[in-house]
Amino acid sequence: MMELSSLYQDVILDHNRAPRNFRRMDDADCHAEGRNPLCGDQLTVWLKLNGDRVSDVSFEGSGCAISKASASLMTGAVKGKTRAEIAHLFERFHEVVTGRSPSEDPSRRELGKLAVFSGISSFPVRVKCATLSWHALKAALDQGSSPVSTE
Ligand code: ZN
């Protein structure tokens, strides 16, 4: 059994302490809110689109280290990508955090830094923390501004 503290690797701690793209975006094209009532995580993701591509992305909110660090890393990972590329990345990320991807799977390389969340798969209750920002991102991409919930 892995210890919970091993989840909090340096990358996660760093992104929790100093989240990237952590700001409100007043001129965003779309945004969506995400809530994870189980943990109390709550965040909003803003997007600027250039055709099919996400040209800018930011988030703001409060929650646990996992949700904040994941949102921070997510913004860095999806900026400049197309909807299709983002959908693909979310799928890979979801596989890794839910432990459905074997550890030598090439998708881990594809994920880059996002692979630090692979330890989450040992803590199913934390999966929702790690995927919250991605669900909000997806909702924003779908042009929905109504809140999404992991419940
Ligand atoms: Zn959380």
Side-chain angles (χ1 to χ4, degrees), residues 36 38-41 63-68 125-126 128-130 132:
N36 176 16
L38 273 183
C39 181
D41 308 318
C64 66
I66 301 289
S67 66
K68 211 186 241 185
V125 74
R126 299 299 234 160
K128 288 179 176 179
C129 302
L132 180 64

Side-chain angles (χ1 to χ4, degrees), residues 87-138:
H88 176 79
L89 198 60
F90 184 24
E91 219 170 279
R92 293 288 88 78
F93 181 68
H94 200 257
E95 280 169 12
V96 165
V97 296
T98 53
R100 281 188 283 123
S101 158
S103 49
E104 317 77 39
D105 190 276
S107 65
R108 299 220 169 186
R109 280 199 299 279
E110 223 177 293
L111 285 172
K113 274 188 186 168
L114 293 172
V116 299
F117 291 99
S118 59
I120 299 281
S121 60
S122 308
F123 306 94
V125 74
R126 299 299 234 160
V127 169
K128 288 179 176 179
C129 302
T131 56
L132 180 64
S133 58
W134 288 87
H135 284 294
L137 169 74
K138 192 170 177 294

Side-chain angles (χ1 to χ4, degrees), residues 27-97:
D27 56 345
D29 292 314
C30 48
H31 71 280
E33 198 183 319
R35 286 170 195 274
N36 176 16
L38 273 183
C39 181
D41 308 318
Q42 185 178 343
L43 53 82
T44 304
V45 172
W46 287 272
L47 293 177
K48 222 180 269 184
L49 298 167
N50 182 6
D52 200 34
R53 212 169 272 281
V54 170
S55 57
D56 202 6
V57 51
S58 70
F59 82 102
E60 214 177 61
S62 59
C64 66
I66 301 289
S67 66
K68 211 186 241 185
S70 179
S72 174
L73 281 156
M74 180 278 288
T75 58
V78 304
K79 203 183 277 191
K81 288 200 164 60
T82 63
R83 285 168 184 271
E85 286 166 345
I86 290 169
H88 176 79
L89 198 60
F90 184 24
E91 219 170 279
R92 293 288 88 78
F93 181 68
H94 200 257
E95 280 169 12
V96 165
V97 296

